[in-house]
Amino acid sequence: KPYLIVKGFHPIGTGDRDHNRMLGRASYHAIFNLVAELPDGVVAVIDAWHGFQPESVLRDHLARAGVARVIEVWVAIAPPEAARRYRDRRRHPGHLPASYADELFELAARARPTALGPVIEVDGAAMLGDDLTAQVLAALRQDETGYSI
């Protein structure tokens, strides 16, 4: 999603918070348009938190894109750390300013996985372990009943 947003800054331009939200909604739609075009059997990996929109919007996008199964890798992070990282990072001029970190703190405090399928939780404050790929592959091999296929 960030790639789509940054690439959208050039033809659409940057703006205020409402403009940023509009660009985010357009990117969200574009992500699932791309997913809908993938050949059968291809696994799409989407890097985004879907809690900014109502769950019904996500469900509609998944249905429209023909996504039958969701495996969620949830990166849990404490609100102060999320805010600190946002404040400290270099941003494209079209991204929200460092002051957005306060809003991000509030979002991180109430953020939860969507849990539309299996959830694999990762500690965002720790080094990534070697077993994440194995966990995702194991989840891909299970059917809806939890049995391996």
Side-chain angles (χ1 to χ4, degrees), residues 49 52 74-89 91 97-111 124-125:
W49 179 56
F52 291 109
W74 178 255
V75 181
I77 188 162
E81 181 64 10
R84 184 197 64 74
R85 288 182 186 183
Y86 193 83
R87 270 190 220 95
D88 291 352
R89 78 175 205 199
R91 284 176 284 294
S99 60
Y100 171 68
D102 297 333
E103 183 178 340
L104 185 60
F105 180 97
E106 297 299 323
L107 288 169
R110 67 176 191 267

Side-chain angles (χ1 to χ4, degrees), residues 48-133:
W49 179 56
H50 303 285
F52 291 109
Q53 300 291 323
E55 186 178 300
S56 61
V57 173
L58 173 58
R59 288 180 180 276
D60 290 347
H61 281 315
L62 290 168
R64 183 175 54 79
V67 175
R69 293 184 62 212
V70 173
I71 297 167
E72 184 172 4
V73 176
W74 178 255
V75 181
I77 188 162
E81 181 64 10
R84 184 197 64 74
R85 288 182 186 183
Y86 193 83
R87 270 190 220 95
D88 291 352
R89 78 175 205 199
R90 290 183 50 205
R91 284 176 284 294
H92 183 281
H95 282 165
L96 296 172
S99 60
Y100 171 68
D102 297 333
E103 183 178 340
L104 185 60
F105 180 97
E106 297 299 323
L107 288 169
R110 67 176 191 267
R112 301 289 178 269
T114 56
L116 299 178
V119 176
I120 300 166
E121 188 162 330
V122 174
D123 181 353
M127 293 295 293
L128 190 58
D130 294 334
D131 63 339
L132 179 59
T133 301

